[in-house]
Amino acid sequence: MNIIEVENVSMHFNLMEERVDNIKEYIVRLIKGNLLYNDFVALDDVSFTVQKNDLLGIVGLNGAGKSTLLKILAGVFTPTSGKVKVNGTVAPLIEVGAGFDEELTARENIFLNGLILGYTKDFLKEHFDEIIDFAELRKFINVPVKNFSSGMYARLGFSIATAVKPDILIVDEVLAVGDYKFYEKCEKRISEMIKDGVTIIVVSHDMALIERLCTKLLWLEHGKIKAFGDKDEIISQYRKS
C-alpha cells in the first residue's frame, strides 16, 4: 500500500535579483514592471512512492531540494506543478521552532503547537507531563521560548510531535542541534515508532544514522532524483560521488 505518492512534482521560487531598499521603491517598480526576478528550480519533475512501513532516507548536498521536498510532503508548500497524495496523519519535524510563538512560554506552546498538529486540548492536558518531561524542560516550563537555545527548541518540538504515533513521521536535520544524549533518546523513540509500524522519512547528512534507521534511500541532486531504491547500493554510490 502506498502511503505517499509523488507524481511529477516541480517547485519554482522567484528570487529577486536586485535589492529594493524600501516599500515605496518596491511599489513603484512593481507598477512599472521593473522588478527583476530569477526563476530558481528547487525540485524538477520528481516522482516516487513510499509504502506503508517504509523507512526512507533522503540525502544530497545542501541546495539539492531535500527540505523543500519535506515541506511539500508536510503540506507547508504547494508544488508549482505535479501531484502529492498522502494517505495518513503526518507529524513533521522540519524546522527548529516551526509552529511556536516566541513570546509564549513552553507551557503555552505545547498547547499551541499540539493544536496545530491536530491534537485535542484534552489529549494535550492528559499527556502534558509526559511531553515536558521527555523534553527535559520542566525547569523552563514558564519561560518564553524566545529565550530557548536551538537545542531546547528541538527537544520541545520533537516531544510534542511524537506524543502520539502518527502514520508518517518526517524528520529534517532538526535533531542535529541537540546534545548527543537527547539525540540518542530521540533515536530510541523513533526506533520504537518503527516497531509500531510508523512510516519514517528522514533527511540527514549523518550517513551512520541513515544506515541504522533506513531501508530505502532517495538521492537528490540539483532538484532531480539521482537515485531511488535499496539503501545499501545507493549509499555506496553516494559516498563515491
Side-chain angles (χ1 to χ4, degrees), residues 45-59:
D45 196 29
V46 170
S47 297
F48 64 96
T49 60
V50 179
Q51 294 185 326
K52 184 173 175 58
N53 301 333
D54 272 353
L55 312 174
L56 177 66
I58 303 178
V59 298

Side-chain angles (χ1 to χ4, degrees), residues 100-201:
F100 290 159
D101 185 326
E102 290 191 344
E103 299 300 323
L104 299 182
T105 64
R107 180 191 300 275
E108 293 165 328
N109 270 292
I110 286 175
F111 287 94
L112 172 64
N113 193 248
L115 291 171
I116 290 172
L117 289 174
Y119 303 158
T120 66
K121 192 171 183 178
D122 287 341
F123 174 89
L124 292 166
K125 285 181 178 178
E126 180 182 349
H127 293 270
F128 181 86
D129 287 333
E130 175 190 338
I131 291 169
I132 202 69
D133 288 339
F134 186 89
E136 301 171 3
L137 293 172
R138 186 165 287 279
K139 291 181 180 178
F140 307 95
I141 195 170
N142 295 313
V143 175
V145 298
K146 66 182 179 182
N147 298 315
F148 280 14
S149 67
S150 57
M152 293 165 76
Y153 265 115
R155 282 152 55 184
L156 187 60
F158 183 89
S159 187
I160 297 170
T162 59
V164 65
K165 292 179 176 63
D167 296 310
I168 305 162
L169 177 66
I170 297 177
V171 185
D172 203 345
E173 290 283 6
V174 61
L175 297 182
V177 300
D179 60 74
Y180 79 94
K181 286 187 177 180
F182 192 77
Y183 183 92
E184 291 177 347
K185 192 175 179 180
C186 291
E187 190 175 331
K188 182 180 178 182
R189 175 166 280 193
I190 290 173
S191 296
E192 291 170 353
M193 295 174 78
I194 290 171
K195 291 178 182 177
D196 289 336
V198 176
T199 301
I200 308 289
I201 301 177

Side-chain angles (χ1 to χ4, degrees), residues 29-62:
R29 289 193 179 204
L30 182 64
I31 293 171
K32 291 182 176 180
N34 291 334
L35 285 173
L36 298 179
Y37 292 95
N38 176 40
D39 181 43
F40 174 72
V41 182
L43 292 172
D44 187 4
D45 196 29
V46 170
S47 297
F48 64 96
T49 60
V50 179
Q51 294 185 326
K52 184 173 175 58
N53 301 333
D54 272 353
L55 312 174
L56 177 66
I58 303 178
V59 298
L61 300 178
N62 291 334

